[in-house]
Amino acid sequence: MTRELSFEKCRNLCPDLVFECKSTAELKPLDEIIGQDRALRALQFGLNIEEKGFNVYASGFAGTGRRTAIVDYVKELARKMPVPQDWCYVTNFRDPTSPHAMKLPSGRGEKFKRDMEKFVLEAIRTLKKTFESEEYVQKVSLKLKALEEERKDHLSKLNKMTLDAGFQLQQAQIGLLLIPVINGKPMTDEESAALPPQVAQKLQKKREVLEVKVRSAFRHLRELETQAQEEVKKLSQEIAAFAMEPLLDAIKEKYNDCEDVVKFVAEVEKDIIDKLPTVMQRPQEAQPNLPFGLQPPVEDPTQNYKVNVVVDNSKLEGAPVEIEMNPSYYRLFGAIEKEARFGALITNYTMVRGGAAHKANGGFLVLPVERLFTDPFMWESMKHAISNEKLEIEEPGASLAYIATKSLRPEPIPFNAKIILLGTPLIYEILYSGDPDFKDLFKVKADFDTSMDRNERNIKQYAAFICSICEKEKLLHLDPTGIAAIVEYSSRLAEDQSKLSTRFSEVADIIREANFYAKRDASKHITRKHISQQLEEKVFRSNMIQKKIEEMMMKNLLLIETDGEKVGQVNGLAVLGMGDYAFGRPSRITASISVGKEGIIDIERQAQMGGPTHTKGVLILSGFLNDRYAQDKPLGLTARLVFEQSYSGVDGDSASSTELYALLSALSDKPIKQYLAVTGSVNQKGEVQAIGGVNHKIEGFFDVCMARGLNGKQGCVVPESNVQNLMLREDVVKSIEEGKFHIYPVRTIDEGVEVLTGVKGGKRLKDGTYEKGTVNDIVQKRLYEMSEKIKEFKE
């Protein structure tokens, strides 16, 4: 007979004496990652190796402390690294549509921006003062004096030439006119019209010859004017360069270690000198007689001398760490902003904005991988930035040639940052197998486990973690009983007596909720009582469906028996998940047999309500029967298996042993104890295999039995390999200790049959038969009889 499991093995208790403190207040808060040695080693490798493509994919599930652990580790590593350079955009005087990217030592980007603003103001003030000075006027007058004398002399000669020819130069709206002169007076239009034709013709020919000479003379005058303007311009530029020289020298000396700055300042100097009249003008003021929406744009002649700082690392101590948990294309890769003017969108290089990738340059960028797929451009742009080692700020559709409008195309910035993607194992598999670039760009996988070993060192670290939560969130500290309760519940979350869960977010929630009840009781510390109260209240908030099902069982709307014995009928166990809550539910499984050749018929599958794993489990039953009972003759059996009152489908193979027990009971005509419930899968050799959710399943049947009244015989048959997973509720363990509820671990179907029927399974003898009177013996003989009946029917 299989031995019953003792209550000590149903829950791995944590003694209070393990903790040498009165409360977690006496402990040192945790300052390291616990339970993730494999992931930590992968992070240490991936984040420190400098070769290309060794970015990190942090694989794990939410709530395991994955993000917190990575952020803490990366920030600690970043503190020891140098602060990267600042990046600015300045105008490109050769091609204004392609702003130039400029790098400066960290913290000097904003300083350079302010220095340039100050330089522009000082330069304009100095230039205005210079060009308004008497000295400048005198130099200009001196420069123009000789040219002016030459101009006057030339005009005098021109006037004399025209008078000697009998004409006078006269200014009119259409230009200069040559008017005939008679007796020292210019002729009027009437006098000209009254001239005889021969005289008028002769006068016209004379005028035409003179006009050629006049045009030649005026051409020379225009050359003199142009020469004067050039002389004044050259003088002004020389004076402007001399006036700005101290200001320019100050900037060049301050940034003499920045080649890009020196080059840009030289270009600014040249542009100011070339555009002196424009630069000296005041910005156009708004016109008060026009509505606000129709105001012309205010043009700043010094716009091109501004500095746009896109990355400012002045406040950093070490390398940057950017955590962008809600990335979009613009948040990640920056944007070229635009403003509306008169119904049109305009932009310039001062509207270029950097993104999280720019801020993380030279450091670390942490991103949730699933968010990168919400925008069709983000993932491809990310791969492009990593592969080409440069960041481009452009319209999302520009790279795919969807947008052909004229816009800015800023110079790319060199990109060198470690990318850490947070994602699930499933997404990693999809990317690894479906994206050929992924394996080349993310060569390091950091696997975050959901559990860690339950040993003395880890238990103490768990207590330190509890201390850090209480300190950080100003919660009441836990006494040793409270710590022990948390450790035990952690093992329950891990579903393993020898493990602790690393789902730290759930553990932290337990402490937060227990803190509420402890404060309500005016307790100094959170104790086991408050942890238990929190767990009970949490279950109560979510177990309405479970209680409804139990109520239906009490009213016999759902048929479940917890006493007596019946042939071909057994209580199976399943787990129902309701999102935030899971619970065990017993289900009646029945088997019916008849003579035939159809074998085992799965009614769930026939009704298209059975999943593939469940179907596999039923097919294994056929393999078991053939292996054990049909070595020398075919099976003459038709059997039907069904989950009674199942309306939502069945999947999983955890009930395959249960179905086999029902089938063997029907074949042997041996009744099964209805006060026992069964779970476990089986293989073709009759070995009972481990299943999941064993705690929920046992507790689900216990709750039904408790509601009907414990009779001291009720219990569950579970795989022996699942004993290590048992972390049953305290009330269940207490009932087991008092002998009111029982757990029977079994390794084989024969052991399970003996527990359920009270009849031995029976060993196979050398002649192929089984021990007389055992279940296997009875089943073998029954199958032989059914096979003979088929032969008789054929004859």
Side-chain angles (χ1 to χ4, degrees), residues 360-408:
N361 203 1
F364 306 92
L365 179 59
V366 182
L367 299 167
V369 66
E370 64 273 8
R371 294 279 185 175
L372 296 180
F373 305 125
T374 59
D375 186 316
F377 299 104
M378 269 199 292
W379 177 244
E380 290 300 323
S381 298
M382 173 60 70
K383 293 194 298 180
H384 178 81
I386 298 173
S387 300
N388 297 333
E389 297 181 319
K390 62 182 181 180
L391 290 171
E392 298 185 47
I393 302 177
E394 60 182 359
E395 297 294 338
S399 60
L400 300 179
Y402 288 159
I403 299 176
T405 56
K406 183 178 180 181
S407 183
L408 297 180

Side-chain angles (χ1 to χ4, degrees), residues 281-297:
Q281 289 178 358
R282 296 181 62 185
Q284 183 181 355
E285 297 181 354
Q287 301 180 19
N289 58 333
L290 290 177
F292 172 76
L294 298 179
Q295 290 287 348

Side-chain angles (χ1 to χ4, degrees), residues 619-631:
L619 294 174
I620 287 174
L621 302 188
S622 298
F624 171 85
L625 293 178
N626 282 280
D627 180 70
R628 181 164 291 195
Y629 306 115
Q631 293 297 310

